[in-house]
Amino acid sequence: MREFLARTPLAPTYHDVRKQPLDADAALALVRRHKRAFAKKGVALVTLDPATATDAEILKLFLGREGSLRAPTLTVGDAILGGWDEPTITALLAE
C-alpha cells in the first residue's frame, strides 16, 4: 500500500488505529464529512451516499472487528474508501 501511494500525487498522512483507535462516533463523523463513500466487502466494492446512509449501514462497512475504524481507510477529495481497492483509488485520483 505505501509503495502504491508513493507513486501517486497524494501526500498521505498515517494514523495507526491500533495505537489510537477511532471509535464508532469518530468513524461516523469522518465518513459523513465526505460526499461519497466506498468500502470493500469481501471482493465486492460497496458504494453509499454518506448523507442518506444510516449509521448502521456506515458502521457495518467502516468498522473493523475490534469496533474501531478499519484499516486502511483513505480519503481522496470528497470521497472516502474503507479497505484497499487499487482500481478505485486510481479512478479517484484521475478525477
Side-chain angles (χ1 to χ4, degrees), residues 5-21:
L5 293 175
R7 297 188 311 267
T8 70
L10 293 176
T13 58
Y14 297 97
H15 178 96
D16 189 338
V17 294
R18 290 175 301 227
K19 293 179 182 174
Q20 296 176 311

Side-chain angles (χ1 to χ4, degrees), residues 48-59:
L48 64 108
D49 178 354
T52 60
T54 66
D55 289 354
E57 290 171 322
I58 292 171
L59 294 176

Side-chain angles (χ1 to χ4, degrees), residues 73-90:
T73 296
L74 295 98
T75 61
V76 179
D78 68 353
I80 186 166
L81 169 65
W84 183 254
D85 190 66
E86 197 168 311
T88 301
I89 297 166
T90 302

Side-chain angles (χ1 to χ4, degrees), residues 32-68:
R32 292 210 185 274
R33 285 198 300 259
H34 295 84
K35 292 183 180 178
R36 301 175 293 158
F38 306 91
K40 287 292 285 190
K41 182 88 171 154
V43 295
L45 181 69
V46 178
T47 303
L48 64 108
D49 178 354
T52 60
T54 66
D55 289 354
E57 290 171 322
I58 292 171
L59 294 176
K60 183 177 179 180
L61 294 172
F62 282 88
L63 287 188
R65 289 183 216 131
E66 297 81 26
S68 64

